[in-house]
Amino acid sequence: MKQYSNALFIVVVLGYCGVAFAIDPPPAYVKHCASCHTADGSGRASSAIGKIPDLRSKTIVSLSDQELFGAIARGNGHQAYAHSFLNQGVSESELRGIEKYVRAIQSGSTPAVPVKPNSPR
Ligand code: HEC
């Protein structure tokens, strides 16, 4: 009986960890990005400044880490909305955390927020 309850304990702990593996968006992402790109990165088909791209799209996935950082920190190549968060009081380490979160969403290792299977890509 004792063995049985040990096994049960392990199953419960593993189950709990499984849930904890989904990464929540870092506070800096929630504060500076989620209003446009949404918590799960899916973006918006339309907004006051036009379409907000899906952060999991092929184009953004294929950016190198340096390009991704440059896009977020300095708005390299942006037309609709210049992301220059490095000049807007967001620290480099916060931006690195955001970058890590974007990569996690892209790899599918998180969605912190369930993604609708029929959401437009
Ligand atoms: C006011 C709305 C808004 C906010 C806030 C915002 N974005 Fe964007 N984002 C956009 C729009 C619009 C584009 C398309 C840019 C363009 O083409 O000019 C975009 C593009 C991007 C891209 C694609 C870059 C590329 O070179 O193709 C990335 C990555 C990105 N945003 C990440 C972020 C992150 C991370 C944050 C928070 C630090 C953020 N954005 C905050 C609206 C926003």
Side-chain angles (χ1 to χ4, degrees), residues 28-29 31-37 47 49-53 55 59-60 63 67-68 71-72 76-83 85 90 95 98-99 102 106:
Y29 181 91
K31 191 169 168 201
H32 302 289
C33 321
S35 60
C36 289
H37 290 279
S47 78
I49 57 166
K51 184 180 186 302
I52 312 283
L55 294 178
T59 333
I60 300 177
L63 296 176
E67 287 168 332
L68 179 62
I72 304 166
N76 293 349
H78 289 193
Q79 282 130 35
Y81 176 70
H83 299 52
F85 287 96
V90 184
L95 286 167
I98 290 172
E99 187 187 354
V102 171
Q106 291 174 342

